[in-house]
Amino acid sequence: MNILILGSGGREHTFAWKTAQSPLCNNLFVAPGNSGTDSIAENINISVTDFDAIKALVIDKQIDMVVVGPEDPLVQGVHDYFLNDNDLKHVAIIGPEKAAAELEGSKEFAKEFMMRHHIPTAAYKSFNKNNVEEGYRFLETLKAPYVLKADGLAAGKGVLILNDLSEAKTELKNMLVDAKFGKASTKVVIEEFLDGIELSCFVLTDGKNYKILPTAKDYKRIGEGDTGLNTGGMGAISPVPFATPEFLNKIEERIVKPTIEGLQKDNLPYKGFVFIGLIKVGDDPKVIEYNVRMGDPETEVVLPRLKNDLVEIFQAIANQTLDKINIEIDERAATTVMLVSGGYPEAYEKGKEISGIQNITDSIPFHAGATLKDGKVVTSGGRVMAITSYGNTYKEAIKKSYQNIEKLHFDKMYYRKDIGFDL
Ligand code: AMP
Ligand code: GLY
């Protein structure tokens, strides 16, 4: 089978790494890909949202399956584009249709979905520029901190958590009236602050059946001790030590089952990954958000623990026979540490040569914002490379990642040295 992976991050390198191990995969393409995918697949330099170019590629290379990494093409309807085209409708797409991708594309849609299906989440109300005053009154009824969420996709920056009421009101106005996040903040969800520890749960579904993948915890802030600005993710650990069997059972019964049943009841066609962002409040899980894709860098710790043939799983998703698959998980822990460009998540430089990759022995370097230039691997993004390791415990795994990072170098390389500190 010929397979195309859309995306260019560490997540997509991990997908490519796992896909390339499958005897079911003949030719593997990644668009646009990075220096990591270049060594195991053919990179094709087209944008993940240029559907016409993707169509031409799929026909030219006789591609049978497209695995969609990031949310943008899903929210813009790449799956529907394929279904509605006679030349493409036979191609298996891993990722939900547009209507279902709204679970990530609109926070209000996701909250309404959770309310309809009695899925535990924070209490909320949503506002637009015509009822800003009501938004102020609602904020006055809440206690600090105040949580404001731009309704639409805002590249992970659309959530504000503020301690001061007047600041919260100002930000609400900035979002709704002054379009702080452009179209994404035409609506704003204001919600109750949930106090607890976060973790993520990953579910595969073919629209009828589901399988739960290992949990993971990511570290979003740039600074040690979870301080400073939010990033795409600075590291991850799987499994999550505090996710006991009893707690996992609560997640499955209260959240996963009603989510999958809700998708069916609401006619939301879904073949792909559901990434459920959770927070443990007391002993109970509550949903913070849905994403309609895998997480990055969570993929870099979840897929290495999956023993199954990934392409076989994807085929089962496409054929709606996921119930026939027995998911097998490596007992070992996996951790990853993200190397980033100095300055990230604000301004940073690119084009720095990355040296020492060939000296990494017992970790896996998943390339992210890294590209080939004149035969050398150079930085091309803020998050540059995720160094994944296995261990009998997460502490052992994390130690291995840090030991291997010592062998790597690029100008202004930065990483957090405290991944797992809170566990
Ligand atoms: P989101 O983009 O929805 O994942 O939100 C980004 C981050 O904001 C989450 O990872 C949480 O750390 C935090 N957050 C979101 N919603 C809440 C909430 N209701 N209570 C506390 N923290 C939240
Ligand atoms: N690491 C968080 C995300 O992928 O959304």
Side-chain angles (χ1 to χ4, degrees):
M1 195 178 202
N2 295 336
I3 301 173
L4 167 65
I5 297 168
L6 295 181
S8 61
R11 169 181 50 211
E12 288 76 19
H13 184 193
T14 314
F15 273 133
W17 168 81
K18 187 76 181 149
T19 303
Q21 292 167 27
S22 169
L24 297 168
C25 177
N26 295 331
N27 297 306
L28 181 60
F29 303 91
V30 186
N34 60 32
S35 46
T37 61
D38 186 78
S39 61
I40 43 177
E42 185 179 336
N43 283 348
I44 310 275
N45 192 18
I46 54 178
S47 150
V48 297
T49 50
D50 187 346
F51 296 170
D52 293 339
I54 294 169
K55 172 178 174 171
L57 174 68
V58 164
I59 291 172
D60 179 39
K61 304 288 186 187
Q62 298 180 13
I63 285 163
D64 307 288
M65 176 181 282
V66 180
V67 180
V68 187
E71 63 277 15
D72 269 331
L74 294 166
V75 172
Q76 291 183 32
V78 70
H79 196 146
D80 311 58
Y81 177 93
F82 272 70
L83 286 176
N84 293 329
D85 188 312
N86 278 330
D87 298 331
L88 298 177
K89 64 181 176 203
H90 64 282
V91 178
I93 309 291
I94 304 304
E97 289 176 42
K98 188 175 183 178
E102 277 297 276
L103 281 180
E104 179 164 359
S106 163
K107 301 269 186 206
E108 184 185 43
F109 180 90
K111 294 301 276 193
E112 287 172 352
F113 176 89
M114 288 186 262
M115 291 298 141
R116 211 161 39 242
H117 302 294
H118 311 289
I119 295 166
T121 186
Y124 80 105
K125 274 195 178 164
S126 112
F127 300 91
N128 58 49
K129 74 171 190 298
N130 299 320
N131 60 1
V132 189
E133 290 292 330
E134 277 175 52
Y136 297 155
R137 300 292 88 78
F138 183 62
L139 283 169
E140 286 162 8
T141 69
L142 301 174
K143 284 193 298 252
Y146 305 93
V147 183
L148 308 184
K149 299 187 172 186
D151 178 60
L153 292 184
K157 297 191 171 70
V159 175
L160 302 180
I161 300 184
L162 305 154
N163 282 312
D164 180 71
L165 178 63
S166 66
E167 205 186 331
K169 289 180 179 174
T170 306
E171 286 294 355
L172 181 65
K173 177 181 165 289
N174 290 345
M175 287 164 93
L176 290 175
V177 182
D178 305 328
K180 175 168 182 151
F181 298 107
K183 262 173 61 185
S185 62
T186 310
K187 287 186 212 163
V188 171
V189 166
I190 301 180
E191 68 177 39
E192 166 199 12
F193 179 80
L194 298 175
D195 198 6
I197 185 159
E198 286 178 57
L199 74 159
S200 299
C201 165
F202 302 93
V203 182
L204 292 160
T205 184
D206 59 12
K208 289 200 302 209
N209 310 288
Y210 71 85
K211 295 285 170 181
I212 299 181
L213 293 173
T215 52
K217 183 171 193 335
D218 83 335
Y219 290 80
K220 287 202 175 81
R221 303 291 200 95
I222 188 72
E224 284 164 17
D226 283 342
T227 53
L229 292 173
N230 252 324
T231 70
M234 297 295 290
I237 290 182
S238 176
V240 178
F242 61 82
T244 59
E246 191 192 356
F247 187 65
L248 290 174
N249 187 51
K250 286 183 187 171
I251 295 175
E252 179 163 12
E253 293 302 320
R254 299 179 190 176
I255 294 166
V256 176
K257 279 188 187 165
T259 297
I260 302 301
E261 284 165 15
L263 292 170
Q264 286 169 270
K265 284 184 195 155
D266 293 352
N267 274 318
L268 299 171
Y270 210 120
K271 290 182 175 181
F273 293 93
V274 193
F275 164 171
I276 312 178
L278 298 168
I279 190 158
K280 182 172 179 267
V281 183
D283 281 325
D284 295 318
K286 295 198 179 196
V287 178
I288 291 229
E289 62 166 350
Y290 286 109
N291 295 307
V292 297
R293 52 172 173 84
M294 274 301 287
D296 194 352
E298 292 89 333
T299 307
E300 289 92 306
V301 292
V302 172
L303 286 193
R305 297 188 61 227
L306 180 70
K307 289 189 184 169
N308 302 63
D309 180 329
L310 186 62
V311 178
E312 211 170 280
I313 292 181
F314 286 157
Q315 278 182 324
I317 289 177
N319 302 330
Q320 295 197 298
T321 53
L322 199 52
D323 52 327
K324 304 283 189 300
I325 298 275
N326 181 28
I327 297 286
E328 288 177 72
I329 300 302
D330 192 321
E331 288 296 314
R332 291 175 296 171
T335 62
T336 201
V337 178
M338 191 63 84
L339 308 180
V340 307
S341 304
Y344 171 81
E346 296 183 285
Y348 56 84
E349 293 167 28
K350 297 182 189 175
K352 309 287 185 190
E353 184 179 346
I354 306 167
S355 60
I357 304 171
Q358 72 286 354
N359 300 332
I360 292 191
T361 43
D362 44 1
S363 294
I364 314 169
F366 289 118
H367 297 214
T371 193
L372 280 178
K373 198 178 162 209
D374 306 327
K376 290 180 177 149
V377 180
V378 302
T379 64
S380 60
R383 294 196 298 166
V384 172
M385 202 170 275
I387 309 302
T388 294
S389 311
Y390 295 100
N392 290 318
T393 62
Y394 78 84
K395 285 188 179 155
E396 201 181 295
I398 204 83
K399 202 169 146 197
K400 223 184 270 175
S401 285
Y402 286 129
Q403 279 166 351
N404 276 290
I405 288 170
E406 295 284 312
K407 304 173 188 167
L408 287 166
H409 175 77
F410 58 87
D411 185 34
K412 301 197 176 75
M413 175 172 111
Y414 169 78
Y415 58 95
R416 271 181 66 168
K417 297 177 186 64
D418 68 340
I419 300 302
F421 80 98
D422 54 341
L423 298 174

